[in-house]
Structures are given as structure tokens and as C-alpha cells.
Amino acid sequence: MRRRRKTIATITGLALLATAGCSDADAKNGPQPPRTGGTVHVVVSAKPAHLDPQRVATATEANLSRLLTRTLTTFKSEPGAASSEIVGDLATDAGRPSEGNRVWDFQLKDDLRWEDGTPITCADVKHGVERSFGGAFSVAQPYAKTYLANAERYAGPYNGGQELSSVQCTDTKNVRFTLNQPIGDFGYTVAMSVFAPVPAKHDTKGDYDKKPFASGPYKLQENTDQQLVYVRNNFWDRKTDTVRKAYPDKIVVQVNGDLPTVTSNLITSDGDNADTVELDKNVAPNFVQQVINDPDLSARAVQGSYGGIRYIALNTKRIPNLDCRKALVYAFDKRKFRAAAGGSVYGDYATTMIAPQLKAHKDFDLYDSANNVEGKPDVALKLMDQQQKSGKPCANTLTLSIPDQKDIRRLAATIVETYQQIGIQVKINGIDPNTYFDVIGNPANANDLLWAGWIPDWANGSAVIPPLFDGRLIPTTAGATNNQDYPLLNDPAINDQISAALAESVPDRQYRLWGELDQKIAEQAVTIPIVYMKALRMAGTNIRGGFIHPQFGQPDLCALGLA
């Protein structure tokens, strides 16, 4: 999913502004790689809601989590195309499929240790997967429930110690997954933290978010509302981990939602700001031209492209009329929105939900927005007039949910102005960014329009279409917060086509099926794709090794260090 990941961050498709500037340490910052030691400071706009691996949902959470938590496989921490490749992490390889990709085996490496020195075993992997089914908390990533056999009847390990038969430990170092259908890219799936191990004796359920038991190079020393402090896990062995560079001795994550101030501080780069990087927000719009036109600033900005998309979801339960939804799509002014975000550095105009970087991308533009980036309000008004005359008038007041942050409010204001032109009043519902995705993840939320972003968990349509549009994944439990199908689309024909695409073992055929599904979903007008996002993150003068990892759309924390 990349998750993948839901993303608040405002940012794909871009060629590097200074190609050498941000893709590797040698080109970006001179010949010397990062050194070992010191403290790297990281600024985030809001504290991540979850570090519990079975709850991790956003790109920021996934990036931060990878410092603490290892998974069976993981993505390489290298710039360029290699960053989309997986390697064995806790496992010796990327998995061994059998029975037509319905059974997958993984063998754990030797000498894997938890932060207290005890071995990491298959039982820990099994418990981690099983706990994701427990009713004690909602789960962000749907892959375990979607792919594992017999999952629909499993209620988790907490009440009576039930076991999930589709996750088996053939011995202490070997885990076998039995799937309910063939999945050719399941090796990518287990790179998701929902499949991460958790030792049962340290499983504090709801409190595990506060201090997950570490298997990665760092452990949590401090976790407050405004700060996370990571220090070295002395039982992590570099010989077992080819991915995480783990240069700093300490990583301090600080919350600061004042984007212009953060950008200004990093441009000046005094004191600790020299050792600091912006993680989840682009350079403030009023500083963009200064950064891209100054060779020194551009050279130390971490910038790059990835397969993420910024979009608005249209709640089909609250806006059930298809032509009313189409009117909202036609009227949207993408030019005004992007200009407020900082211009083309923010992203390329989008017409699809699967970004061009993915092989599953199909090029289509059902609403002619590429040629009309300011929208087609005349078409919208005509549709609304037709519905009025047929006795099915479109609502003239709508609610838009957003994370309550200054920069996002500024962008939301352009949406308010856009819809005023067609006689619709949009009310902004600002939600605490720390809990935003939990709130809109409740299918019962009362918002008509929802601010959303998505970064695929891996480079295929299987990491876009199923998590965002498979209606079978919409939770039915009262109070659930793990929904990611924000439009609440539950079309049986689309659900069936999703199953067919997942079962297709020939990659090129599967890519075509995902592209066709993307277009079929667009016909339902359930989302407004705005931009394929780009990243331009400011870094202090001492930061080295920065590059934008496509799995996060952010600087990869596993690669960062100091001069």
C-alpha cells in the first residue's frame, strides 16, 4: 500500500532539478560518504500516529519504522532504480514460491536478535502477522487479511490463543504462508510492516505503539508528543543487514508544523539545523524559487520523483449521484491548486490514479483535464442543471476534510474558491494531523470530500487499486479506523476484476488489467487525481547520503548521515 502509504506530505514524476544534487552522496555532497557517528535531526510536520508495525499506515510512519523494525524482505536503500528492488531482510532471500504461487516459504538468517539479545524466531513472525487480526486495534494494511488463506474466519491470538493455519512455522527459522489465491509478487508484500515479527511476551497490544521492541539498528529511547529519540540497538548486527546504513549514533525526530520557519532555518543552516533534514514536507512555496535557482541550495536539497499521487476522494455514500460527482471532477482547478503549492516543482498534473512511473499505468484523460487545467466549470454547471431539472439536485454545500496544517489550509482554500464558481460552498473540516487518517479511516466519517495521497507499496497496480478501491476491504466493525477506500466504492464487478488481476501470473497481462481497472474506476468519478507528486526537501549543510526513496516519497532515513 505505501502503503502504501497514505501521505499527508505535499509533493512525483519529476526529473531531478539538479540530477547530481540529490541522488547520491558522491554527486550531491562531494566524494566523501557519510561518516559513522553523530546525531541527525529530522523535522516532521506532525508526530506519526503509529510505530507499531501492524498499525503503520503512512509513508512517514513506514520510513521511521524501518529504523526500528525489520521485515522478511525490504527495499534496497540505494538511489535510482535499485530502490524499487527487494532483498531478503530477516529472510535469506525474497521468498521461495510453490504450488503456482499459492505457497511461499521464507528462511530466517542466522544471528538475528531483538534489542534484549534474544533470538528472532519464526514464532515471532507468526505472532506479528496473527496480532494484526486482533480486535484490540485496527489494522492499517490489508494484505494479511486479503491474501492469507482462512483469514476470513480468524479473530486473532488474544482470545483463547487461536492460531492462523495459513502461517506455519516448519521449524524455528522457517515460515510458510499459504495464500487464498496465486500472488506472484508476495515477496514484495512481506516487505510491508504488517508482516513484521513481534515477540508475544513483549506484545503490549495498544501500548506497543509507544515503544515497539526493536529488531533494527535503533531502539526508542524517548517518545513524547514533540520528539522521538532513536539510539543504537547494540544487538543489531550489520553482518545480517545489507540495507540499513545506520550511520548516526542517534536520530532525533522533532515536530514542527511551521513550514516557512523550518525551510528558513535549514537554508540558514546554523547550529543543529546544519545536521537537520525535512522529512515529510516540501520546501515552503515562498522559498521554492530561491532554492532551485541557487546552485548551493539546490545541491543540498533532497529531491526526486516517485509514484505517488495527490488526490481528493469523493464519498459515494454522501454524493451518490454519478453526474454530481462528475461535475466536481470537471470543475476542479488544478492550476490554481498547484500554483499555491509552489508550481511545477510540486508535481505534474495527474489524470489517472496509477502514476506514469508504474508499468501498470494506462494513459487516459476521461475528463479532459490535461488540456483544461483550470477545469471545465461550464460542463460542470450543465451537468448540475440537468440533475436539477430531473429532480435530483446536486448538493450546494459540501464538507472537505483536511489535516489541520497551515500549508494544507492554503491549498484547501483554492478548492473552496474553485467550487464557489459553480455555486457550491465547501466547508473545511480541519482534523488533528496526528489522528487524521484514523478519523477519515472510519467509514462512518461525515465528510463529502477527503484530502488524500497515496504512494504505492511497490511498483505495480496491485499496490494501488486493491487497497484504494476493493470494496470488500471496507471494514464493517463499528468504530473501525483502517479503511483506505475513502470513496467507499464497493462495486461487485470491480471487485471481481481486482481478483482476476491479482491472480494473473504474466506480468504484462497483469499490468494491462490494472490500467483498465484504473480507467473503469475513473468512469465512476470517485476521485479527483490532482498531481503526480514530486519531492523537494531541504537539508542542512552537514547532511549526507540524501535521496528520495520511492517507497516513501521522502529522504530515506536508512541512508542519511553527517559529513
Side-chain angles (χ1 to χ4, degrees):
M1 283 173 20
R2 100 157 218 81
R3 14 210 209 331
R4 143 194 156 177
R5 287 166 184 122
K6 301 172 272 194
T7 175
I8 288 179
T10 50
I11 353 170
T12 223
L14 120 136
L16 298 185
L17 297 178
T19 302
C22 306
S23 290
D24 66 330
D26 288 346
K28 173 182 181 295
N29 291 305
Q32 75 282 12
R35 65 176 173 87
T36 298
T39 299
V40 165
H41 294 262
V42 178
V43 177
V44 294
S45 60
K47 185 185 176 184
H50 303 294
L51 289 176
D52 181 327
Q54 273 71 45
R55 290 181 169 186
V56 162
T58 71
T60 301
E61 291 168 2
N63 200 353
L64 289 166
S65 176
R66 200 158 74 139
L67 299 171
L68 300 169
T69 301
R70 296 178 65 179
T71 44
L72 289 171
T73 64
T74 195
F75 291 87
K76 291 181 178 179
S77 183
E78 300 175 20
S83 59
S84 293
E85 299 174 8
I86 57 167
V87 293
D89 186 3
L90 292 173
T92 56
D93 53 33
R96 299 178 299 283
S98 60
E99 299 186 26
N101 291 329
R102 285 182 177 271
V103 175
W104 284 75
D105 286 275
F106 297 86
Q107 181 178 354
L108 300 181
K109 296 174 181 175
D110 295 330
D111 300 321
L112 299 170
R113 303 279 173 180
W114 291 105
E115 65 175 78
D116 64 352
T118 55
I120 299 173
T121 67
C122 176
D124 299 327
V125 176
K126 180 176 172 64
H127 180 73
V129 177
E130 289 179 339
R131 73 192 290 269
S132 72
F133 290 82
F137 53 83
S138 57
V139 181
Q141 298 171 333
Y143 302 116
K145 290 184 176 181
T146 306
Y147 293 165
L148 295 179
N150 304 318
E152 69 281 357
R153 297 187 294 274
Y154 185 63
Y158 298 128
N159 298 316
Q162 305 101 321
E163 292 189 12
L164 181 58
S165 60
S166 49
V167 184
Q168 296 177 302
C169 290
T170 57
D171 58 40
T172 59
K173 293 182 60 176
N174 287 274
V175 57
R176 173 173 295 164
F177 296 98
T178 302
L179 311 183
N180 57 22
Q181 65 184 81
I183 303 293
D185 54 9
F186 190 69
Y188 284 83
T189 306
V190 296
M192 301 300 101
S193 62
V194 71
F195 286 89
V198 171
K201 67 178 180 180
H202 292 287
D203 183 0
T204 52
K205 300 181 183 178
D207 290 335
Y208 199 70
D209 253 338
K210 298 175 183 176
K211 195 177 187 301
F213 211 57
S215 54
Y218 299 95
K219 59 184 179 180
L220 267 180
Q221 182 185 67
E222 181 181 329
N223 183 349
T224 66
D225 289 343
Q226 294 299 312
Q227 183 168 274
L228 299 170
V229 178
Y230 293 74
V231 295
R232 288 201 179 277
N233 171 12
N234 293 327
F235 287 98
W236 172 77
D237 188 344
R238 191 179 298 275
K239 294 194 297 293
T240 71
D241 191 342
T242 61
V243 172
R244 298 163 183 81
K245 308 300 188 291
Y247 291 119
D249 289 331
K250 181 185 289 188
I251 298 175
V252 178
V253 182
Q254 296 163 314
V255 178
N256 189 338
D258 187 345
L259 182 57
T261 297
V262 171
T263 301
S264 177
N265 289 342
L266 292 176
I267 287 174
T268 305
S269 202
D270 291 332
D272 285 345
N273 289 308
D275 304 333
T276 301
V277 64
E278 259 177 328
L279 192 67
D280 66 340
K281 291 285 186 178
N282 274 345
V283 167
N286 54 312
F287 288 102
V288 166
Q289 292 304 313
Q290 178 184 353
V291 170
I292 64 177
N293 292 322
D294 184 319
D296 291 335
L297 294 178
S298 181
R300 61 179 167 94
V302 187
Q303 50 191 296
S305 62
Y306 58 102
I309 185 167
R310 169 69 57 224
Y311 70 100
I312 299 296
L314 310 183
N315 188 331
T316 60
K317 301 303 181 186
R318 296 180 61 83
I319 315 175
N321 186 309
L322 175 59
D323 280 344
C324 292
R325 296 200 302 270
K326 286 183 175 180
L328 294 171
V329 179
Y330 274 117
F332 197 92
D333 189 332
K334 297 180 183 180
R335 185 205 61 78
K336 182 178 291 186
F337 181 98
R338 193 178 77 164
S344 59
V345 70
Y346 179 83
D348 298 322
Y349 293 123
T351 62
T352 67
M353 289 298 291
I354 298 178
Q357 287 86 345
L358 278 62
K359 291 182 179 180
H361 172 77
K362 180 180 180 181
D363 191 16
F364 62 86
D365 185 7
L366 298 185
Y367 301 95
D368 197 24
S369 66
N371 296 318
N372 298 274
V373 294
E374 295 182 355
K376 301 179 75 171
D378 54 332
V379 176
L381 286 168
K382 183 177 180 180
L383 286 169
M384 293 171 66
D385 184 57
Q386 290 172 349
Q387 295 308 299
Q388 179 74 32
K389 291 177 179 178
S390 67
K392 297 176 290 185
C394 301
N396 57 17
T397 301
L398 298 173
T399 299
L400 167 64
S401 68
I402 64 167
D404 198 1
Q405 296 175 317
K406 290 181 180 179
D407 58 318
I408 297 179
R409 276 197 172 272
R410 184 180 63 254
L411 297 179
T414 71
I415 300 175
V416 174
E417 294 170 7
T418 288
Y419 288 129
Q420 283 174 344
Q421 297 179 29
I422 59 170
I424 294 177
Q425 179 186 0
V426 173
K427 297 180 179 179
I428 302 298
N429 178 27
I431 298 171
D432 182 347
N434 293 320
T435 60
Y436 177 74
F437 288 113
D438 286 343
V439 173
I440 69 169
N442 183 343
N445 80 81
N447 295 284
D448 305 299
L449 313 175
L450 299 97
W451 170 281
W454 190 255
I455 304 171
D457 284 320
W458 54 86
N460 193 359
S462 58
V464 179
I465 301 300
L468 297 186
F469 302 111
D470 189 337
R472 295 165 295 188
L473 299 180
I474 298 172
T476 57
T477 305
T481 61
N482 57 313
N483 178 52
Q484 296 176 129
D485 180 352
Y486 302 133
L488 301 177
L489 179 67
N490 190 6
D491 184 315
I494 288 174
N495 295 345
D496 289 344
Q497 290 180 47
I498 287 173
S499 294
L502 287 170
E504 176 54 64
S505 59
V506 178
D508 286 343
R509 293 177 185 170
Q510 189 181 112
Y511 298 151
R512 177 178 54 80
L513 292 173
W514 292 128
E516 291 172 354
L517 265 167
D518 194 5
Q519 182 169 341
K520 186 176 182 66
I521 292 166
E523 293 171 358
Q524 299 299 312
V526 297
T527 65
I528 305 173
I530 306 174
V531 292
Y532 305 120
M533 294 184 289
K534 302 176 181 179
L536 177 66
R537 307 297 159 81
M538 203 61 219
T541 53
N542 289 340
I543 292 293
R544 296 293 183 268
F547 71 92
I548 298 298
H549 199 295
Q551 302 309 311
F552 313 117
Q554 301 175 350
D556 184 359
L557 292 176
C558 287
L560 291 180
L562 299 175

